[in-house]
Amino acid sequence: AQTVTQSQPEMSVQEAETVTLSCTYDTSESDYYLFWYKQPPSRQMILVIRQEAYKQQNATENRFSVNFQKAAKSFSLKISDSQLGDAAMYFCACLPEYGNKLVFGAGTILRVKS
Amino acid sequence: GAGVSQSPRYKVTKRGQDVALRCDPISGHVSLYWYRQALGQGPEFLTYFNYEAQQDKSGLPNDRFSAERPEGSISTLTIQRTEQRDSAMYRCASSLALGTDTQYFGPGTRLTVL
């Protein structure tokens, strides 16, 4: 069984500043995939970034990057140059290599202050 | 191209009524997934299809819930004799293939059972 833990229920960041959202996971699978999804007030579910566990290089997507620490089972999301549009609930999720079920954390609400 | 679509976006029903929720995946996506999301929580897996075959329904909470995907494209999640505890956001996702491919989510159907 897999579990995903997001220990920060809420975070705040000043516009243009950098914020890091934490995520830890537990899985018995040897290979798996990790994701961050964004859920804005519209309640859409938008993919932010994806990381393959077999890759040592941290994934980046424009202002979004991850710090993937496989041994520690940690997968944090860094948002640089925060914008008002980044305000949302962020979910961390894990998918085993041969699985089909995404397992989500409880989410972190990110507030961006102008 | 077009993303995953779901209908209706909002459904209000009375306890005891049956409801059918529809999902239209991204064209060409082989795999389709259903999740349920309670307010303030992450989505939880219900069931998934590979083409028209329902390959895992372990997340369906009880036998009032069923799903089908008869032609390997559009899927319907049916809840019979709805109860107030069924109130939630029901999300559909699709992926190009089973397993490691990224799951792309639809906008969800907000179900309220009175």
Side-chain angles (χ1 to χ4, degrees), chain A residues 6 21 35-50 63-64 77 79 81-93 102 104 107-112, chain B residues 37 41 43 91 102-107:
Chain A
Q6 294 180 250
L21 308 184
F35 303 84
W36 281 97
Y37 284 89
K38 171 185 177 181
Q39 187 174 297
S42 65
R43 298 211 75 196
Q44 294 270 8
M45 199 77 166
I46 302 164
L47 175 70
V48 175
I49 201 163
R50 163 190 164 119
R63 297 183 296 107
F64 299 86
L77 176 70
I79 307 174
D81 185 25
S82 297
Q83 300 175 0
L84 294 177
D86 295 333
M89 174 84 94
Y90 286 82
F91 290 99
C92 177
L102 273 169
F104 286 85
T108 296
I109 297 172
L110 177 65
R111 305 191 192 279
V112 181
Chain B
Q37 185 178 13
Q41 298 181 23
R91 294 194 181 274
T102 297
Q103 296 181 23
Y104 296 93
F105 283 81

Side-chain angles (χ1 to χ4, degrees), chain B:
Chain B
V4 178
S5 61
Q6 292 186 247
S7 61
R9 294 291 305 276
Y10 302 91
K11 177 71 177 177
V12 180
T13 190
K14 292 183 179 179
R15 188 178 53 181
Q17 297 294 305
D18 298 350
V19 295
L21 312 181
R22 173 186 164 126
C23 172
D24 197 346
I26 294 171
S27 178
H29 278 198
V30 164
S31 299
L32 183 147
Y33 312 80
W34 283 99
Y35 292 83
R36 180 168 70 173
Q37 185 178 13
L39 195 63
Q41 298 181 23
E44 293 185 339
F45 172 83
L46 294 176
T47 185
Y48 91 95
F49 293 83
N50 200 30
Y51 296 100
E52 73 281 359
Q54 188 175 21
Q55 298 199 316
D56 186 342
K57 54 182 181 179
S58 62
L60 296 177
N62 52 60
D63 60 7
R64 295 186 296 106
F65 287 72
S66 63
E68 62 174 10
R69 193 186 185 198
E71 296 179 0
S73 179
I74 292 169
S75 176
T76 302
L77 177 70
T78 301
I79 309 173
Q80 295 180 312
R81 305 180 302 282
T82 52
E83 301 177 6
Q84 285 186 328
R85 60 177 172 157
D86 299 334
S87 297
M89 176 75 85
Y90 289 82
R91 294 194 181 274
C92 173
S94 70
S95 67
L96 193 57
L98 185 63
T100 62
D101 280 323
T102 297
Q103 296 181 23
Y104 296 93
F105 283 81
T109 294
R110 161 70 70 192
L111 174 66
T112 302
V113 182
L114 302 177

